[in-house]
Amino acid sequence: MRLCRYDDNKLGLVEDDSIVDVSTVLARLSPARWPLPQGDLLFRELGMVLDAARTAAPNGKRIKLADARLMSPVANPSKVSAAPVNYLKHLEEAKNDPSTFHKHHLNKIQEVGLFLKSSSSVVGPSEGVRLRFPHRRNDHEIELAVIIGREADNVPAAKAFDYIAGYSIGLDMTVRGPEERSMRKSIDSYTVIGPYLVTPDEISDPSQLDLELLVNGEVRQKANTRDLVIGIADLIAWASSFYKLFPGDIILTGTPDGVGPVQPGDTITARIAEIGEMSVPILAA
Ligand code: MN
């Protein structure tokens, strides 16, 4: 199934090029009381949500996918974990770039580990990326985004796929410069998740997916997730060996080579096979 959040926080099922409004399902979520549990409330009850959405779909109003204002399928991730330099060609590219500030970050991923981005940086494709510091270099990074479906604490790699709610396309935007990576990548709107959540049953093999990013129609990044240095299951195992993952948490699996700058007025098109495509405007702050 393909689940989206769109317009004014409507919940939709994506069917081909249309969206069926299944927002009535939201009334069935458990009432929220302070203190809220960690993680996203919808993803905590995703099994119920998907069942109820299937039942509600025949009576739902339909609109064209292209006419929807697509938001991130996760409204409230407790955190965004991200893999640095998880494709070897991107590691070589960064090492050979004289403008790279943090050379010590360019060790093998097995040495540097994962990093965190602010959960407040997450937006959907229709919201666009707002360049907070347009005079500095702002780079695009396309990544397969893995969305966690249930609490994961010290999960072995062999069981990791049981903890996945689904997949989306992710953009891990970056402003270049001397600050810590977590600060430069945590700017509001610098994590784009979309166009919707695709449940694992719809993906034949997440470690064999073509991915591609274009800026204004020109191909900048083109790769396949088979070239991930640390695969999806090991990323979940590794992350959850340090901290608990909660429903709705996002893991950005790393970007391939071809990263490059964007300017206000540009449009990013990001595609991942078996997931879909999203178009993301680059805006001035
Ligand atoms: Mn990245």
Side-chain angles (χ1 to χ4, degrees):
M1 295 173 77
R2 291 161 184 251
L3 199 66
C4 72
R5 183 165 65 107
Y6 69 106
D7 294 352
D8 49 349
N9 288 307
K10 287 189 167 73
L11 185 70
L13 272 189
V14 179
E15 296 181 351
D16 301 320
D17 57 355
S18 61
I19 295 176
V20 185
D21 186 352
V22 292
S23 303
T24 52
V25 170
L26 297 172
R28 299 184 49 178
L29 291 175
S30 305
R33 286 223 182 128
W34 183 89
L36 293 176
Q38 293 270 359
D40 183 275
L41 296 176
L42 184 119
F43 279 78
R44 290 194 82 90
E45 299 182 60
L46 190 63
M48 178 279 288
V49 167
L50 292 174
D51 285 348
R54 209 178 280 120
T55 308
N59 301 313
K61 190 177 157 228
R62 237 166 229 279
I63 65 162
K64 280 188 190 150
L65 179 59
D67 293 338
R69 183 172 176 275
L70 289 168
M71 305 170 81
S72 163
V74 190
N76 299 109
S78 82
K79 56 188 163 303
V80 179
S81 299
V85 291
N86 202 14
Y87 289 82
L88 288 179
K89 277 192 198 161
H90 174 53
L91 175 62
E92 290 310 309
E93 163 183 80
K95 274 185 174 161
N96 294 329
D97 183 342
S99 67
T100 296
F101 277 87
H102 294 275
K103 292 287 185 196
H104 67 282
H105 279 171
L106 296 178
N107 296 329
K108 285 184 179 156
I109 181 171
Q110 292 89 338
E111 293 163 18
V112 296
L114 309 182
F115 63 93
L116 291 170
K117 303 187 71 169
S118 68
S119 53
S120 50
S121 67
V122 175
V123 294
S126 298
E127 291 165 89
V129 174
R130 292 193 177 272
L131 302 187
R132 186 75 67 101
F133 304 103
H135 54 287
R136 290 169 63 174
R137 182 171 155 177
N138 290 270
D139 278 9
H140 56 75
E141 297 186 358
I142 184 174
E143 316 203 356
L144 175 67
V146 176
I147 317 294
I148 295 297
R150 56 193 182 101
E151 284 192 15
D153 187 7
N154 247 325
V155 169
K159 295 221 156 101
F161 282 103
D162 299 344
Y163 292 78
I164 296 176
Y167 303 90
S168 293
I169 306 171
L171 295 182
D172 174 20
M173 302 299 296
T174 306
V175 65
R176 305 276 291 254
E179 301 90 347
E180 285 288 340
R181 175 155 46 198
S182 66
M183 191 181 196
R184 292 182 289 106
K185 288 172 170 280
S186 285
I187 296 172
D188 295 347
S189 80
Y190 274 42
T191 305
V192 185
I193 303 294
Y196 37 72
L197 175 90
V198 181
T199 53
D201 55 293
E202 299 229 0
I203 305 285
S204 54
D205 181 356
S207 50
Q208 299 279 339
L209 298 176
D210 285 325
L211 63 168
E212 179 177 61
L213 181 143
L214 300 83
V215 177
N216 305 329
E218 176 200 330
V219 177
R220 294 267 190 93
Q221 294 184 274
K222 196 173 174 59
N224 187 290
T225 56
R226 79 171 72 90
D227 293 325
L228 284 170
V229 175
I230 296 192
I232 295 162
D234 287 320
L235 287 173
I236 292 171
W238 199 15
S240 75
S241 73
F242 276 72
Y243 41 73
K244 198 182 281 181
L245 298 168
F246 293 96
D249 278 6
I250 296 163
I251 298 182
L252 294 171
T253 54
T255 200
D257 61 309
V259 302
V262 290
Q263 308 287 342
D266 287 347
T267 300
I268 290 178
T269 305
R271 296 187 187 118
I272 300 185
E274 299 182 41
I275 296 178
E277 172 177 318
M278 64 182 188
S279 179
V280 182
I282 306 299
L283 309 163

